[in-house]
């Protein structure tokens, strides 16, 4: 295991939560989500992992879905046995309520994030940029050509 270690500290709200991405991290689907509906079933082990995380820290679910669809995610979570609410605080920076999952589109302070598209930054920008280029399906030649288009 690698990465930054963030132990729980009562005086630090940022250490008290875990952020979990929704689409392709908790629910598997291949039909998109623009209409707000949730297609597919939970990814195997996802619900059990959420329960385990709730025993350890506050948990919030982060989504790129527009705010009008957050209630669908909260309902999906409730339908799978969780207590969930939609983030209605425009200036929220942290979530520290244990036992209830917050659904938000904000990157709140957290000990860690679980996300299917994340690139962990370990202090080496050369490695991070190489991984980003790979994830964007760019070769060195296409990356250079793409950069030239944006100048």
């Amino acid at each position: 295991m690698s990465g930054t270690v963030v132990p729980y500290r009562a005086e630090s709200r940022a250490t008290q939560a875990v952020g979990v991405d929704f689409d392709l991290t908790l629910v598997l689907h291949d039909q998109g989500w623009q209409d707000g509906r949730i297609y597919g079933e939970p990814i195997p082990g996802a619900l059990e992992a959420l329960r385990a995380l709730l025993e350890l820290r506050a948990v919030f679910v982060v989504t790129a879905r527009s705010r009008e669809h957050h209630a669908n995610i909260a309902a999906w979570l409730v339908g799978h046995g969780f207590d969930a609410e939609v983030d209605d605080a425009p200036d929220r920076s942290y979530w520290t309520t244990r036992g209830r999952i917050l659904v938000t589109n904000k990157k709140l302070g957290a000990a860690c994030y679980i996300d299917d598209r994340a690139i962990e930054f370990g202090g080496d920008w050369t490695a991070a940029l190489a991984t980003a280029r790979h994830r964007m399906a760019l070769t060195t030649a296409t990356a250079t050509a793409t950069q030239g288009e944006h100048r």
Side-chain angles (χ1 to χ4, degrees):
M1 289 186 195
S2 65
T4 304
V5 175
V6 182
Y8 179 90
R9 291 191 346 250
E11 71 279 5
S12 173
R13 293 184 292 170
T15 70
Q16 297 178 28
V18 173
V20 181
D21 180 45
F22 185 69
D23 290 294
L24 299 175
T25 303
L26 293 178
V27 65
L28 183 60
H29 65 81
D30 59 3
Q31 299 179 23
W33 49 260
Q34 282 66 26
D35 67 356
R37 288 183 285 166
I38 299 171
Y39 300 95
E41 295 299 316
I43 290 177
L47 302 180
E48 295 80 6
L50 270 181
R51 286 184 185 91
L53 289 170
L54 283 165
E55 293 292 321
L56 302 170
R57 307 275 172 108
V59 175
F60 59 93
V61 168
V62 148
T63 182
R65 293 176 186 236
S66 62
R67 187 156 163 45
E68 67 190 84
H69 302 304
H70 292 185
N72 294 346
I73 294 172
W76 185 90
L77 289 163
V78 168
H80 285 90
F82 296 95
D83 185 13
E85 71 178 79
V86 172
D87 184 5
D88 62 359
D91 296 328
R92 184 186 312 274
S93 298
Y94 302 97
W95 176 249
T96 58
T97 302
R98 287 182 139 186
R100 175 169 254 215
I101 299 173
L102 181 73
V103 177
T104 187
N105 59 359
K106 298 182 204 100
K107 184 177 179 183
L108 304 176
C112 64
Y113 277 83
I114 302 171
D115 190 321
D116 62 303
R117 297 192 185 209
I119 297 171
E120 183 174 346
F121 180 70
D124 180 351
W125 268 109
T126 302
L129 188 53
T131 302
R133 285 184 175 137
H134 171 75
R135 295 271 186 96
M136 292 184 284
L138 297 175
T139 63
T140 303
T142 57
T144 303
T146 304
Q147 289 172 354
E149 293 172 8
H150 296 287
R151 289 186 186 163

